[in-house]
Amino acid sequence: MNAIVKPNNKNRVFNLKLYFDMLRQLKLIGFILGAITLIITVLPPLVILLRDTGGTERAINTPSINGVTPVLWGYMFVGGAGLIYTAFSFLNKRNASDFYHSLPNTSLCIYLSLTAAVITWLMATIVVNILAAYFMYMIIGVSINAIYLPYLFGYFMIGTLLVASAASIAVCITGTKLTNLVMTFLILFVPRFISMLLNISIVENTAIIPFDQTGIIFNPFYNIAATPFSLISSVTSGSRYSPIEFLPGMLYSGILALLYFSFALLLYRVRRSETAGMSAPSRLLQHIYRCAITLPLLVIIPSAAFSGRVSM
């Protein structure tokens, strides 16, 4: 007698219903962040419009590509990480984690469906802000070069995805809100902080290597999420480099975001439900915390000493 084989009804790759459900769950934080960024985006041209309407006419300066939607630099970090934390918040709660594990979906399906919902909100917010800025400046008579648009779309979309991918890794290996935030910070900033110190040392001590020619490892402009370090390095070197127009940086950051998302998927598929609520579920993670905290300090001291020694 042949055995009866039960059909496998699990959604294997993508669940459209789960995707739309997560879109609804992200509605509150998505609309709040979207409204805040949109208000900040349209405020400068709106002030100019009201000033001109009041009879006070002044010369209007066309904003540079960096000044069209500066609020999106903040959204890159707050939105990119915040929406991931919200979508995968169940990983920090044992009961909720057990519930998602019991759904008739594979881990691949859950991860892709939730991540797609996050990306949808992120991309929609970025597109709306850039187009709103472009048309608002057009209304007040300021002509912004249309060639800026693909650069702005590419830069902020890729940068926000890079932050979201780092946050995805963080939520998949830790089990509390605080450690989610700490791990995201470590992934995004510690490697680039160390490379920035080495970059500054190379530029100062060689005198023949320009700041923007130190290569993909040391030049912070290659990593869009390393914007704070790019500003510090620019001030230190006296460079006025525009990161938004740096196409190799978009390519590098896009590939890095894809690798991070892929790595996060692997971590999610092997993650145990018992990890929820645990800040450091393994000894390896404890060692990573210790090394990530002490390593920058160990690099700062010899870098400063070496720079002072060479300048003497």
Side-chain angles (χ1 to χ4, degrees), residues 292-308:
I293 293 173
T294 57
L295 187 58
L297 298 177
L298 295 176
V299 174
I300 290 174
I301 297 174
S303 296
F306 181 69
S307 297

PDB file of all heavy atoms in Angstrom, residues 292-308:
ATOM      1  N   ALA A 292      35.363  45.029  18.892  1.00  0.00           N
ATOM      2  CA  ALA A 292      34.872  46.213  18.184  1.00  0.00           C
ATOM      3  C   ALA A 292      34.996  47.468  19.034  1.00  0.00           C
ATOM      4  O   ALA A 292      35.163  48.570  18.512  1.00  0.00           O
ATOM      5  CB  ALA A 292      33.421  46.005  17.773  1.00  0.00           C
ATOM      6  N   ILE A 293      34.929  47.311  20.352  1.00  0.00           N
ATOM      7  CA  ILE A 293      35.032  48.464  21.244  1.00  0.00           C
ATOM      8  C   ILE A 293      36.484  48.860  21.469  1.00  0.00           C
ATOM      9  O   ILE A 293      36.840  50.043  21.487  1.00  0.00           O
ATOM     10  CB  ILE A 293      34.330  48.163  22.581  1.00  0.00           C
ATOM     11  CG1 ILE A 293      32.815  48.036  22.357  1.00  0.00           C
ATOM     12  CG2 ILE A 293      34.611  49.266  23.605  1.00  0.00           C
ATOM     13  CD1 ILE A 293      32.058  47.574  23.591  1.00  0.00           C
ATOM     14  N   THR A 294      37.355  47.868  21.616  1.00  0.00           N
ATOM     15  CA  THR A 294      38.758  48.165  21.955  1.00  0.00           C
ATOM     16  C   THR A 294      39.628  48.429  20.734  1.00  0.00           C
ATOM     17  O   THR A 294      40.587  49.202  20.809  1.00  0.00           O
ATOM     18  CB  THR A 294      39.369  46.992  22.753  1.00  0.00           C
ATOM     19  OG1 THR A 294      39.245  45.778  21.980  1.00  0.00           O
ATOM     20  CG2 THR A 294      38.649  46.825  24.075  1.00  0.00           C
ATOM     21  N   LEU A 295      39.316  47.825  19.588  1.00  0.00           N
ATOM     22  CA  LEU A 295      40.170  47.962  18.419  1.00  0.00           C
ATOM     23  C   LEU A 295      40.334  49.400  17.949  1.00  0.00           C
ATOM     24  O   LEU A 295      41.461  49.827  17.655  1.00  0.00           O
ATOM     25  CB  LEU A 295      39.641  47.082  17.280  1.00  0.00           C
ATOM     26  CG  LEU A 295      40.513  46.991  16.030  1.00  0.00           C
ATOM     27  CD1 LEU A 295      41.902  46.459  16.397  1.00  0.00           C
ATOM     28  CD2 LEU A 295      39.865  46.099  14.972  1.00  0.00           C
ATOM     29  N   PRO A 296      39.241  50.198  17.855  1.00  0.00           N
ATOM     30  CA  PRO A 296      39.448  51.605  17.443  1.00  0.00           C
ATOM     31  C   PRO A 296      40.382  52.367  18.373  1.00  0.00           C
ATOM     32  O   PRO A 296      41.188  53.185  17.912  1.00  0.00           O
ATOM     33  CB  PRO A 296      38.025  52.185  17.487  1.00  0.00           C
ATOM     34  CG  PRO A 296      37.128  51.017  17.295  1.00  0.00           C
ATOM     35  CD  PRO A 296      37.815  49.885  17.987  1.00  0.00           C
ATOM     36  N   LEU A 297      40.292  52.101  19.679  1.00  0.00           N
ATOM     37  CA  LEU A 297      41.173  52.782  20.630  1.00  0.00           C
ATOM     38  C   LEU A 297      42.626  52.381  20.400  1.00  0.00           C
ATOM     39  O   LEU A 297      43.547  53.206  20.493  1.00  0.00           O
ATOM     40  CB  LEU A 297      40.748  52.445  22.061  1.00  0.00           C
ATOM     41  CG  LEU A 297      39.336  52.883  22.465  1.00  0.00           C
ATOM     42  CD1 LEU A 297      39.016  52.423  23.873  1.00  0.00           C
ATOM     43  CD2 LEU A 297      39.195  54.398  22.361  1.00  0.00           C
ATOM     44  N   LEU A 298      42.847  51.107  20.085  1.00  0.00           N
ATOM     45  CA  LEU A 298      44.202  50.632  19.849  1.00  0.00           C
ATOM     46  C   LEU A 298      44.776  51.190  18.548  1.00  0.00           C
ATOM     47  O   LEU A 298      46.000  51.264  18.383  1.00  0.00           O
ATOM     48  CB  LEU A 298      44.216  49.102  19.802  1.00  0.00           C
ATOM     49  CG  LEU A 298      43.847  48.396  21.119  1.00  0.00           C
ATOM     50  CD1 LEU A 298      43.811  46.891  20.924  1.00  0.00           C
ATOM     51  CD2 LEU A 298      44.839  48.759  22.221  1.00  0.00           C
ATOM     52  N   VAL A 299      43.893  51.571  17.618  1.00  0.00           N
ATOM     53  CA  VAL A 299      44.359  52.153  16.352  1.00  0.00           C
ATOM     54  C   VAL A 299      44.626  53.644  16.503  1.00  0.00           C
ATOM     55  O   VAL A 299      45.566  54.181  15.905  1.00  0.00           O
ATOM     56  CB  VAL A 299      43.314  51.899  15.237  1.00  0.00           C
ATOM     57  CG1 VAL A 299      43.715  52.632  13.967  1.00  0.00           C
ATOM     58  CG2 VAL A 299      43.180  50.412  14.972  1.00  0.00           C
ATOM     59  N   ILE A 300      43.802  54.328  17.306  1.00  0.00           N
ATOM     60  CA  ILE A 300      43.951  55.769  17.486  1.00  0.00           C
ATOM     61  C   ILE A 300      45.313  56.119  18.073  1.00  0.00           C
ATOM     62  O   ILE A 300      46.005  57.027  17.592  1.00  0.00           O
ATOM     63  CB  ILE A 300      42.835  56.325  18.400  1.00  0.00           C
ATOM     64  CG1 ILE A 300      41.488  56.267  17.673  1.00  0.00           C
ATOM     65  CG2 ILE A 300      43.139  57.756  18.808  1.00  0.00           C
ATOM     66  CD1 ILE A 300      40.322  56.664  18.554  1.00  0.00           C
ATOM     67  N   ILE A 301      45.723  55.409  19.104  1.00  0.00           N
ATOM     68  CA  ILE A 301      46.966  55.731  19.815  1.00  0.00           C
ATOM     69  C   ILE A 301      48.193  55.628  18.910  1.00  0.00           C
ATOM     70  O   ILE A 301      48.970  56.587  18.794  1.00  0.00           O
ATOM     71  CB  ILE A 301      47.115  54.841  21.064  1.00  0.00           C
ATOM     72  CG1 ILE A 301      45.964  55.134  22.041  1.00  0.00           C
ATOM     73  CG2 ILE A 301      48.467  55.067  21.730  1.00  0.00           C
ATOM     74  CD1 ILE A 301      45.923  54.209  23.235  1.00  0.00           C
ATOM     75  N   PRO A 302      48.423  54.498  18.225  1.00  0.00           N
ATOM     76  CA  PRO A 302      49.612  54.451  17.347  1.00  0.00           C
ATOM     77  C   PRO A 302      49.518  55.388  16.155  1.00  0.00           C
ATOM     78  O   PRO A 302      50.543  55.903  15.692  1.00  0.00           O
ATOM     79  CB  PRO A 302      49.647  52.979  16.886  1.00  0.00           C
ATOM     80  CG  PRO A 302      48.274  52.461  17.093  1.00  0.00           C
ATOM     81  CD  PRO A 302      47.733  53.199  18.273  1.00  0.00           C
ATOM     82  N   SER A 303      48.291  55.637  15.643  1.00  0.00           N
ATOM     83  CA  SER A 303      48.143  56.567  14.522  1.00  0.00           C
ATOM     84  C   SER A 303      48.549  57.970  14.932  1.00  0.00           C
ATOM     85  O   SER A 303      49.278  58.667  14.216  1.00  0.00           O
ATOM     86  CB  SER A 303      46.698  56.571  14.017  1.00  0.00           C
ATOM     87  OG  SER A 303      46.339  55.313  13.506  1.00  0.00           O
ATOM     88  N   ALA A 304      48.093  58.399  16.115  1.00  0.00           N
ATOM     89  CA  ALA A 304      48.448  59.728  16.606  1.00  0.00           C
ATOM     90  C   ALA A 304      49.949  59.817  16.900  1.00  0.00           C
ATOM     91  O   ALA A 304      50.598  60.816  16.589  1.00  0.00           O
ATOM     92  CB  ALA A 304      47.644  60.051  17.859  1.00  0.00           C
ATOM     93  N   ALA A 305      50.475  58.756  17.472  1.00  0.00           N
ATOM     94  CA  ALA A 305      51.905  58.755  17.798  1.00  0.00           C
ATOM     95  C   ALA A 305      52.751  58.792  16.537  1.00  0.00           C
ATOM     96  O   ALA A 305      53.750  59.502  16.453  1.00  0.00           O
ATOM     97  CB  ALA A 305      52.246  57.531  18.627  1.00  0.00           C
ATOM     98  N   PHE A 306      52.336  58.032  15.523  1.00  0.00           N
ATOM     99  CA  PHE A 306      53.104  57.985  14.274  1.00  0.00           C
ATOM    100  C   PHE A 306      53.051  59.328  13.548  1.00  0.00           C
ATOM    101  O   PHE A 306      54.053  59.819  13.007  1.00  0.00           O
ATOM    102  CB  PHE A 306      52.557  56.893  13.369  1.00  0.00           C
ATOM    103  CG  PHE A 306      53.288  56.740  12.071  1.00  0.00           C
ATOM    104  CD1 PHE A 306      54.581  56.256  12.019  1.00  0.00           C
ATOM    105  CD2 PHE A 306      52.675  57.116  10.884  1.00  0.00           C
ATOM    106  CE1 PHE A 306      55.253  56.123  10.823  1.00  0.00           C
ATOM    107  CE2 PHE A 306      53.333  56.996   9.669  1.00  0.00           C
ATOM    108  CZ  PHE A 306      54.621  56.492   9.657  1.00  0.00           C
ATOM    109  N   SER A 307      51.873  59.964  13.551  1.00  0.00           N
ATOM    110  CA  SER A 307      51.734  61.273  12.898  1.00  0.00           C
ATOM    111  C   SER A 307      52.595  62.320  13.582  1.00  0.00           C
ATOM    112  O   SER A 307      53.274  63.116  12.941  1.00  0.00           O
ATOM    113  CB  SER A 307      50.267  61.711  12.903  1.00  0.00           C
ATOM    114  OG  SER A 307      49.473  60.815  12.151  1.00  0.00           O
ATOM    115  N   GLY A 308      52.591  62.298  14.918  1.00  0.00           N
ATOM    116  CA  GLY A 308      53.406  63.253  15.652  1.00  0.00           C
ATOM    117  C   GLY A 308      54.884  63.017  15.474  1.00  0.00           C
ATOM    118  O   GLY A 308      55.689  63.952  15.385  1.00  0.00           O
TER     119      GLY A 308
END
